[in-house]
Amino acid sequence: MRAGHAVDLAVVNGRAVLPGQGTVEADLWVRAGRIVGIVSPGTPVQATDTLDVAGLTVLPGAIDAHIHMGSDITMAKTHEEVTGETASAIAGGVTTVLAYLMSAQPYEDLFPDAVRVMEEHSACDFGFHFCIGTQHQLDELPAYVRDLGVSSFKFFMNFKGEEGKYLNLPSNDDGFLWQLLERSVGIGAMVNPHAENIELVWHLREAARAAGGPDLVAWNNARPPIVEAEAEARAGMFAEVLDASMYAVHCSSKLALDALRARRATHDGIFIETCPHYLLLDQEAGIGTYGKVNPPLRTAADREALWQAVADGNVDVVGSDHVPRHKSAKEKDIWSASAGFPGIETLLPLLLSEGHVRRNIPLERIVEVVATRPAQLFGLAPRKGAISVGADADLAIVDFGRATTFSGPRMRSAAAYTPYEGLEVAVAITHTILGGRVVVRDGQVTGGGGGRYLHRSRSGRAALAALSGGAAEARRGGGA
Ligand SMILES: [Zn+2]
């Protein structure tokens, strides 16, 4: 045997989902953390470790492009805040997370500590998005991209007046959003607006409160789809006029989806994210304040429209919008309970079970929305997001013959609950591999730490252009 055929890890006898090829029986060879061979089953190799995954399906590790960390959700600051949430990630087959740092402080001051605590304790690889709210942060945008490797920026369109105070974020307006979009162009950046028209909410919420009714119906009535759709339309029109890339986070309603699709028909810089809860849950979910989230859970018709968009390619990415605040923050009345809930551990199983098994969406399409497309849009491809030679050996291994019943107390998040309590899904994540290391084995988390910071020098259309440029170069014979 040639020395070149000695590998660190061989993942053998599985069915792997490969880009452009679908599900293929293949052995995967890993050396120095990367995939170095995708070969016919049984091809001889000298491997230090062999993982036999006969009967199982091998996917690229999921990328959760939308999470929040820390008990105050602004950023993780302690060991405890990192270990639980990232253990939850790998238990759910997520090998890369993109966390939102949300502060009015200069990010150049916060960034070193944010990276350090994650590098010391994170069980998965990670990158950041920054939430931009001050003039200083706006002025530093090019340095954030170039020096810190953060190329996607959140903006809360609803933080007017006192609305951002709970996160210590200042009041903003459409002029600020315009400047953020304007400055994102030419530096390879993308803007991720949280789209809600808060002035409309101020008008509508008193009537919703007075009308009462079930908690989640009242919450939806206070911030109905028009609140979201009008803001998406406005931000999308700004992006089109300025020729900027925009990533519509957590699209929750058919009305907002239609507004974004209309914009996308004339501007190819619009990208759409939805979340598992907008696909799985609605205002009739019967989970009370545990289901409070912004934008709110909608109706069954909205869920159907979003599933359709996942299937037909109109949704680019499904991210969890994971919020790790403890259960007790939800156990209040609907108007004072905190918004958001954990979702990092349930993201991939829900999409596989409810999307693929129950709705027949092809497995390759599920892999696109939860791995390949987020990698492409956030500057992580070709290192992340697909099983291909040269990519990081990040894998999620799935048993479609075994069910899982979700139980919040058994999950690893500090939140200690799940909005899907008691739900049985038709899959189990059996193994997770991060950079060639088996970090979940037979459903047990075995690896902590080892997560690496991912410097992302471009996002959005700039990232896609760099990828297609690279592919063209490879076709001309320059590539490996
Ligand atoms: Zn979020």
Side-chain angles (χ1 to χ4, degrees):
M1 183 176 298
R2 291 190 293 123
H5 278 189
V7 302
D8 301 328
L9 173 69
V11 180
V12 302
N13 300 321
R15 294 152 28 90
V17 177
L18 304 179
Q21 296 179 55
T23 307
V24 174
E25 299 201 343
D27 290 354
L28 306 178
W29 295 348
V30 177
R31 191 191 300 123
R34 306 246 169 169
I35 296 168
V36 295
I38 302 170
V39 301
S40 302
T43 306
V45 67
Q46 184 190 323
T48 309
D49 278 311
T50 299
L51 184 66
D52 189 339
V53 294
L56 306 180
T57 303
V58 185
L59 312 177
I63 294 173
D64 192 342
H66 189 157
I67 74 158
H68 301 274
M69 297 278 290
S71 54
D72 66 356
I73 77 162
T74 64
M75 63 185 273
K77 299 183 192 80
T78 67
H79 176 175
E80 293 72 29
E81 287 175 332
V82 176
T83 47
E85 307 318 307
T86 61
S88 196
I90 59 174
V94 171
T95 50
T96 294
V97 296
L98 297 180
Y100 282 90
L101 300 196
M102 305 197 291
S103 177
Q105 301 303 309
Y107 286 105
E108 61 273 30
D109 296 347
L110 302 175
F111 180 82
D113 284 341
V115 171
R116 186 181 42 76
V117 73
M118 291 289 284
E119 276 183 340
E120 285 175 1
H121 307 292
S122 178
C124 57
D125 288 351
F126 64 96
F128 297 127
H129 313 277
F130 290 162
C131 172
I132 300 298
T134 70
Q135 187 62 44
H136 174 84
Q137 292 170 341
L138 197 55
D139 292 339
E140 292 300 313
L141 218 57
Y144 293 161
V145 176
R146 185 187 61 233
D147 302 336
L148 307 186
V150 173
S151 51
S152 42
F153 300 100
K154 186 164 192 166
F155 179 79
F156 283 98
M157 295 175 74
N158 53 323
F159 282 2
K160 296 186 178 178
E162 306 283 284
E163 294 286 330
K165 264 215 152 146
Y166 76 105
L167 292 175
N168 291 313
L169 293 175
S171 177
N172 278 310
D173 59 21
D174 288 346
F176 193 94
L177 172 61
W178 178 269
Q179 291 178 72
L180 176 58
L181 284 160
E182 194 170 40
R183 293 187 188 199
S184 72
V185 179
I187 58 171
M190 178 156 68
V191 176
N192 311 355
H194 176 117
E196 286 190 295
N197 181 328
I198 198 68
E199 294 171 13
L200 204 45
V201 175
W202 291 337
H203 170 67
L204 294 170
R205 70 184 167 194
E206 290 318 312
R209 200 165 177 155
D215 284 343
L216 295 178
V217 174
W219 190 247
N220 187 15
N221 286 338
R223 311 168 89 100
I226 182 62
V227 163
E228 177 191 21
E230 183 279 333
E232 296 286 24
R234 184 168 11 116
M237 190 174 279
F238 284 15
E240 177 163 357
V241 169
L242 292 167
D243 204 29
S245 289
M246 165 178 147
Y247 179 82
V249 291
H250 52 47
C251 178
S252 70
S253 62
K254 179 175 188 303
L255 199 63
L257 180 65
D258 288 346
L260 289 162
R261 289 172 62 172
R263 199 81 268 138
R264 179 136 97 170
T266 52
H267 178 46
D268 66 1
I270 305 278
F271 306 100
I272 304 174
E273 176 196 88
T274 191
C275 310
H277 41 278
Y278 301 120
L279 298 164
L280 273 294
L281 302 172
D282 58 44
Q283 63 176 10
E284 313 294 337
I287 52 173
T289 54
Y290 294 120
K292 179 179 173 181
V293 62
N294 292 326
L297 300 178
R298 306 300 193 184
T299 67
D302 293 292
R303 293 201 293 116
E304 287 307 313
L306 288 165
W307 271 123
Q308 182 57 41
V310 168
D312 68 21
N314 272 294
V315 161
D316 290 282
V317 173
V318 181
S320 75
D321 200 358
H322 179 83
V323 168
R325 282 198 204 94
H326 187 259
K327 185 174 189 253
S328 55
K330 306 294 277 188
E331 293 170 343
K332 300 174 181 175
D333 70 85
I334 189 70
W335 308 102
S336 41
S338 88
F341 35 70
I344 201 167
E345 191 165 337
T346 48
L347 168 70
L348 183 61
L350 283 172
L351 286 171
L352 293 171
S353 175
E354 307 307 307
H356 177 57
V357 177
R358 300 222 158 94
R359 288 177 180 261
N360 287 313
I361 297 173
L363 200 47
E364 300 74 46
R365 182 70 202 127
I366 300 295
V367 164
E368 274 175 22
V369 297
V370 77
T372 314
R373 193 63 169 164
Q376 292 169 344
L377 288 178
F378 290 106
L380 299 169
R383 179 178 170 190
K384 303 285 190 190
I387 298 175
S388 55
V389 170
D392 281 357
D394 296 348
L395 304 170
I397 299 174
V398 177
D399 188 347
F400 281 103
R402 188 140 63 93
T404 304
T405 302
F406 289 148
S407 159
R410 281 210 304 270
M411 289 178 183
R412 286 81 177 169
S413 171
Y417 73 102
T418 169
Y420 310 102
E421 185 66 38
L423 180 71
E424 185 183 278
V425 291
V427 297
I429 309 292
T430 63
H431 301 72
T432 303
I433 297 177
L434 175 72
R437 288 184 301 122
V438 181
V439 292
V440 173
R441 191 184 291 270
D442 299 320
Q444 299 300 313
V445 174
T446 56
R452 297 161 296 184
Y453 176 65
L454 301 168
H455 184 105
R456 307 180 299 107
S457 55
R458 46 180 84 81
S459 290
R461 277 192 307 177
L464 296 179
L467 272 180
S468 56
E473 211 152 276
R475 278 196 300 277
R476 282 196 301 272

